[in-house]
Amino acid sequence: MKEKQTIIQLPKFLDARGNLSVIEEFKDIPFQIQRSHWIYDVPGGEVRGGHAYKKTEEFIVALSGSFDVILDDGKECKTFLLNRSYYGLYVPAGVWREMENFSTNSLALVLSSTKYDANDYIRDYEEFKALKNEKE
Ligand code: TYD
């Protein structure tokens, strides 16, 4: 599925007992969830990411706190502030990403469309740019 990077609002069940949000594959996000991981205890000033994936699509939610996700599709860079647990950022394959400005106690949930495969990473920015130029 060729979707663009975008913020997706999630269902929100407001309740005096506490609120609830939900993510269903193919309904709220455009892929099947093969893997979940989360990033926590990020020291102040640290930057995560710094890579692209060849095939993997991701959906990123700030379950707690806030952070910025910077996406670079080879043409332009966009910064997305994630700071609520009822929306997230869909990141298609082939997009360079960095995550920074993590607040204290922030918790980033990342859902992925693939099983972990170190070979799916592009960790060299020049290689990323070259691949993007090839495809044009
Ligand atoms: P990495 O994806 O580079 O982290 P980030 O993009 O957030 O900076 O992963 C960091 C380490 O964790 C790396 O050694 C690989 C390992 N890892 C797994 O083993 N399985 C996974 O699903 C993920 C996402 C990472």
Side-chain angles (χ1 to χ4, degrees):
M1 196 178 299
K2 280 259 183 291
E3 303 266 344
K4 276 219 27 116
Q5 55 199 44
T6 183
I7 292 285
I8 297 177
Q9 298 290 331
L10 298 168
K12 200 161 62 161
F13 296 90
L14 301 180
D15 192 311
R17 300 170 302 155
N19 303 332
L20 183 154
S21 282
V22 61
I23 302 169
E24 275 189 43
E25 57 192 18
F26 294 133
K27 186 175 169 206
D28 305 302
I29 57 173
F31 61 82
Q32 184 177 27
I33 302 163
Q34 297 270 10
R35 182 162 49 104
S36 316
H37 70 276
W38 44 100
I39 297 166
Y40 54 98
D41 291 349
V42 179
E46 282 299 338
V47 178
R48 303 280 322 197
H51 55 73
Y53 296 109
K54 295 172 197 161
K55 289 198 193 119
T56 302
E57 299 163 68
E58 283 184 335
F59 186 66
I60 306 172
V61 185
L63 287 184
S64 179
S66 66
F67 49 87
D68 288 328
V69 185
I70 299 126
L71 298 185
D72 174 355
D73 63 6
K75 285 198 183 124
E76 56 171 347
C77 279
K78 271 193 196 156
T79 299
F80 297 86
L81 169 66
L82 300 186
N83 61 359
R84 293 285 184 271
S85 55
Y86 52 78
Y87 70 84
L89 178 63
Y90 170 70
V91 186
V95 175
W96 190 268
R97 100 278 318 282
E98 279 174 19
M99 295 164 76
E100 61 182 34
N101 294 328
F102 286 89
S103 69
T104 306
N105 289 332
S106 55
L107 172 59
L109 173 69
V110 185
L111 305 177
S112 302
S113 66
T114 61
K115 300 270 193 274
Y116 178 69
D117 176 6
N119 292 319
D120 194 43
Y121 283 73
I122 306 165
R123 291 195 180 273
D124 183 280
Y125 188 73
E126 293 311 313
E127 187 190 337
F128 167 73
K129 288 294 271 185
L131 278 170
K132 284 284 165 189
N133 289 336
E134 246 172 51
K135 283 185 185 153
E136 274 183 5

